[in-house]
Each structure stands twice: as structure tokens, then as C-alpha cells.
Amino acid sequence: MMCEKCGESQATVHYTEIINGHKSEVHLCEKCAGEKEVGSHFSINHLLAGLLDNQIDGNMKIDYVEPQKCKVCGMTYNRFKETGKLGCSECYSTFNDRLNSLYKRIHGHDVHVGKIPIKSGKSMKVKKDIEKLQLELKEAIENEEFENAAILRDKIKKLEKNIKE
Amino acid sequence: MKWLDGEGSDKDIVVSSRIRLARNIRDIKFPQELNNEMAEEIKNKVNNSVIADERNNDVFKYYDLKDINSTEQRVLVEKHLISPGLLQNSQIGGFLIRKDEKVTVMINEEDHIRMQVIYPGLNLEACWEEADKLDDIIEANTEYAFDEKIGYLTACPTNIGTGMRASVMLHLPSLVLTKQINGIFQAVSQIGLTVRGLYGEGSNAKGNLFQISNQITLGESEKDIMNKLKNIVQQLINNERQAREKIYKFNKIKIEDKIYRSLGILKNARIMNSEESMELLSDIKLGIEMNIIRNIGRKTINKLIIKTQPANVQSKYNKDLNPNERDIKRAEIIRKELDI
């Protein structure tokens, strides 16, 4: 059986689709099935977009989004899935939504703990310091240590200014 | 190679400790996607960053993989100075080696930068201290790809976070002999550690040598990772020691027989394949650790394990050997080393 979409390759992916109560069999080749998967990436926005499409022509449109590409290296999520390797550091922001759940599955965690580079991590270190001071400030206010609170508040302001610069 | 010296803490069981850090330069494609021109640029950049610090000036030497023939490349892998992964990128890869061969910086492996520090015995802290310092030196002259939430960014998401792989190489013949090894490794893999053979991913545990390393790099600090690994390694050391004691106590004549037979074969055989030599050398190593063999040093055996690897044998004779010729040369090398 040939792929229903491109008609060029052998269909290897078969499944049943139900749209508006209408049941149909779908037969696709691996490539088209992969593209379809990108198209059906679920988020509220995409679901809404899908609903809107449905209202217009009554049929679920498959490829209403172009496969997302990294703007620095041109990597697509499908290619990443094939090789397991991303193309550049920017890919992590490009595919952030989809990678996020992967981190938990691989590592059991999704937040870095440990070394922070001196240069690239400078603002991060300051942010962590600010968070710590804010906790202390809250505590000071609760304990009515207003003099101490004023000192802490000034420290925070100074650090925040540093970040902006 | 200092890491084969047979020195350091728990040297009767632990061959070596290693820390590897993966780093990338921001906004530049990862090696797999690089063109040759950019790859050259990265080699220069990293090379310069390392030697920019005067402490590194005369102690590191740079090599381009293109300038090294394939046998010598494999010799370096067998010596654990570079990784098999670097050879996959032999067109764009290069590396820096410190004079004492404890520190290597690989360039354009899976990531732009992979630095490794390797020490004999159980000494992860010393490895980390050196790697940490070197990391700071390189960072001073480059912009690392780092994300506030998920840490150091690497080509493969399995390395993000600390980008650190800590591993310890252990010789565990008695746990293999008493068939406890599989159960132990199953338990180890359930707590985020992984066990591999002498030559890493996909290699068999020939010669009863096992590398144990962390799998998780995100959400655990470098110290946490090292402590967890050390804790497990310590338990394995204790188990191996207990098994050795038991064997000695209840099967003394049997184990002596096994070890001396192996020594007899190694000293006399004329043809020796790599698998058999690893197995027999492991017996001799155990004999030394159990104080059954006293006139051969630990260092001699450790080095022999590497010297008898295929590319090492090949390189010593400086011409193309077929496997048969290689097995004959291997037997020769062993006889010469053990002729005491």
C-alpha cells in the first residue's frame, strides 16, 4: 500500500482517526507520519487553531504549522529525534517546550544544581544572592527588625542595579 | 601513563579515577554540524585559551588528529588519553595533552570541549579540583553555552547540567568468580549509575575491569555526583575484598593453582589473542593483590594490559600485522615483560 499523502513511498504507519464522530483509516509512510506528528504538537494554542480550522472546512488540517527550525543552525525537532543530538546551544531555547519533559525523563530532574561559570553565570549568581536577601528581608520584617530590613532593602536595590547595568 | 602506575587509595582494586567535563561555546554550531573552517577556528580558540594561562604554557602540547595516523589514533584511545568519540570526528578533531598525561582537552568531539583528568587509584576529588581549575582557565577566554535553568548546554541532552561524567575503573575478579557481579550491577543501574567495560560504551568487561560512572548530570551537583559514586565504589571494594578473603580461606589451593597456571601460560605461550591475554593478566593481577605472586609489580601488569591491546602491539612493530602475526607478537611482548 502506498502512502496516502505523498503517494511516493510504501505506507508503514497505519492508524484510525476519528474526526467529528467520523471514523477513517489512515495509511502513511514514515516520513509523512513524522511530519504529521510535528503538526499535531499539542498546546492550547494549537488545539484552538485546530478547532478553528475544523469550523471552516470541517476537516482537520494536518500541516498548518511549518516544522519549527532553529534560527542559528536550522535543526528541526524531527532530526533531533533521529540523531539524539542538537545542532547548537540555541536549539535549547527553540525546542524548549518539547525538551522540557525530556529532561525529567532522562535525569529525574529539570533544574541545574552545581557549578556556575564565572562569566556567563555572573547575573545568575547575583539573582540567587538577591533571592536569598529577599528571604532574609521578609524574615526581618516579620520579626519587626526594621533597621536590619532597611539595610537588606538597600543591598537588594544595589544588586538589582548591578544586573541592569 | 601515570594513571596506570598502580598507586593511590585502594590501589588493590581501583585502577583509576576520572572526571570528564563537557563544554560548548555559545552560539556556535555543535561539532556534528560544523564546517571545516569553523572547526579550525574552534581548535585555535580552545588551544589558545588553555595556553593563555602561563601555568599551562609549557606543559600542554597540541595535536591535530589529521596529523596522526589511524594506528596511533587507536593507540591513544587504548591508553585512554582520548575517547573513541573523538576518532569519529577525525577530520575536525584535535586535542591537548599535559606532559604527565593526566589531563587531556579534546576539541570537537561530540561537544566543542571535553576535558578529562585521570588519576591512579580512588581519587575523584583530585580529578575534580584539576578539572575545575582548567575549566575556569578556558572560560576566561571563551563564552560558554550556559543556561540558568538547565546548566551547561551540550550536544546531547543526556549531558546537560554539570556536563560532568565521573568514573572509576575497578578490577573485580572475585565478584565475577563468585558470580555476584550481575546482581550488584543491576542494583547499581537502578540508582542512576552505569557500568561499562574497559573501553567504555558497548565494550565487554574484558579482564574483569569495570568502569562505573554517573548517568545523571542534571539536578545533582558535582559534589553530590562524586559522593554517590564514591559511596557505591566503596561498597564494591568491600564486597570484592570479602570475596577475596573467602576464596583464600576456603579455596586457597584452587586459586593458587588458577593463578600459577595462568602465569605458566603467559610465560610460555607463543600465540596469544587479546581476549585470552586479558583474562590471564587479570589472574596475575589478582595473584599480586592477594600476595600470592610477589615478584611482579602491579604497575608492570597494569601497563601490560594496555601494551597488549591490538593497536599498541601494531604500533610497536611499525608495520601492518594480520591478526595471526599480532597474536604472535603479543605473546612475545608478554614473555619479555614477565621474564623474571
Side-chain angles (χ1 to χ4, degrees), chain B residues 215-233:
Chain B
Q215 191 85 292
I216 294 167
T217 54
L218 180 64
E220 292 180 6
S221 72
E222 290 84 357
K223 285 246 155 63
D224 292 341
I225 292 170
M226 286 191 288
N227 284 340
K228 188 157 122 187
L229 181 61
K230 234 173 67 182
N231 184 305
I232 298 302
V233 164

Side-chain angles (χ1 to χ4, degrees), chain B residues 14-158:
Chain B
V14 181
V15 180
S16 60
S17 306
R18 171 161 57 164
I19 294 281
R20 187 219 71 198
L21 298 178
R23 301 286 186 256
N24 286 286
I25 299 166
R26 181 185 296 174
D27 293 335
I28 294 180
K29 291 177 185 175
F30 294 143
Q32 193 188 254
E33 306 286 315
L34 274 185
N35 58 32
N36 288 354
E37 200 182 320
M38 275 309 284
E40 286 302 316
E41 211 169 290
I42 290 179
K43 279 191 246 179
N44 288 334
K45 201 176 169 65
V46 177
N47 196 354
N48 290 336
S49 310
V50 173
I51 55 175
D53 190 283
E54 57 182 28
R55 280 169 291 179
N56 289 338
N57 228 336
D58 295 323
V59 289
F60 274 96
K61 196 164 177 219
Y62 175 77
Y63 297 88
D64 208 298
L65 268 195
K66 280 182 293 198
D67 303 335
I68 302 174
N69 72 43
S70 72
T71 304
E72 290 314 308
Q73 289 180 1
R74 280 182 296 127
V75 167
L76 291 163
V77 172
E78 287 174 357
K79 288 178 170 177
H80 286 252
L81 295 176
I82 60 174
S83 69
L86 189 64
L87 298 195
Q88 283 170 15
N89 289 354
S90 58
Q91 283 311 306
I92 56 167
F95 59 94
L96 287 132
I97 286 193
R98 203 167 74 178
K99 263 184 190 161
D100 63 3
E101 298 190 329
K102 277 181 180 164
V103 184
T104 317
V105 181
M106 288 179 270
I107 309 171
N108 293 333
E109 208 240 32
E110 186 179 299
D111 296 295
H112 294 143
I113 303 166
R114 287 218 170 170
M115 55 196 108
Q116 75 156 29
V117 182
I118 183 162
Y119 267 70
L122 183 57
N123 205 346
L124 287 167
E125 288 84 1
C127 296
W128 163 246
E129 223 171 274
E130 291 234 25
D132 187 26
K133 258 191 238 158
L134 181 62
D135 185 35
D136 290 345
I137 288 171
I138 298 175
E139 199 222 340
N141 295 290
T142 42
E143 290 289 332
Y144 275 164
F146 180 82
D147 178 86
E148 298 192 352
K149 188 169 165 261
I150 56 169
Y152 292 94
L153 301 177
T154 52
C156 182
T158 51

Side-chain angles (χ1 to χ4, degrees), chain A residues 15 68 80 94 99 112 145:
Chain A
Y15 62 94
Q68 201 177 3
F80 161 65
T94 311
L99 287 172
H112 172 58
E145 298 165 10

Side-chain angles (χ1 to χ4, degrees), chain A residues 133-151:
Chain A
L133 287 172
Q134 274 166 341
L135 278 180
E136 281 176 38
L137 175 64
K138 206 176 146 205
E139 215 170 289
I141 293 170
E142 274 167 13
N143 296 337
E144 298 183 4
E145 298 165 10
F146 296 115
E147 245 174 75
N148 191 15
I151 295 169

Side-chain angles (χ1 to χ4, degrees), chain B residues 184-314:
Chain B
I184 290 174
F185 287 159
Q186 263 168 24
V188 164
S189 66
Q190 277 167 10
I191 51 169
L193 300 175
T194 157
V195 184
R196 295 172 303 173
L198 175 61
Y199 289 108
E201 249 158 283
S203 73
N204 291 332
K206 283 185 199 153
N208 302 314
L209 289 167
F210 300 91
Q211 286 190 77
I212 304 194
S213 55
N214 64 302
Q215 191 85 292
I216 294 167
T217 54
L218 180 64
E220 292 180 6
S221 72
E222 290 84 357
K223 285 246 155 63
D224 292 341
I225 292 170
M226 286 191 288
N227 284 340
K228 188 157 122 187
L229 181 61
K230 234 173 67 182
N231 184 305
I232 298 302
V233 164
Q234 206 62 58
Q235 292 183 47
L236 287 172
I237 292 172
N238 291 341
N239 286 341
E240 170 69 20
R241 282 208 184 113
Q242 278 168 13
R244 285 179 188 182
E245 273 166 35
K246 240 187 199 162
I247 290 171
Y248 196 74
K249 203 169 158 194
F250 298 111
N251 286 303
K252 187 174 176 220
I253 192 73
K254 263 192 177 166
I255 193 73
E256 280 181 347
D257 182 64
K258 183 174 163 59
I259 288 166
Y260 279 114
R261 273 170 188 273
S262 298
L263 186 59
I265 295 174
L266 286 169
K267 277 186 162 181
N268 294 289
R270 269 23 187 193
I271 303 170
M272 179 69 67
N273 70 33
S274 129
E275 215 157 298
E276 187 184 9
S277 80
M278 287 288 279
E279 208 175 290
L280 300 175
L281 287 170
S282 167
D283 286 345
I284 308 307
K285 195 166 157 59
L286 179 64
I288 297 169
E289 315 305 359
M290 287 174 89
N291 220 2
I292 293 171
I293 294 178
R294 296 196 181 84
N295 57 354
I296 301 174
R298 182 180 290 122
K299 187 172 167 180
T300 307
I301 293 299
N302 284 356
K303 295 216 157 154
L304 210 42
I305 289 173
I306 302 301
K307 277 186 197 165
T308 50
Q309 296 300 325
N312 271 266
V313 175
Q314 182 88 55

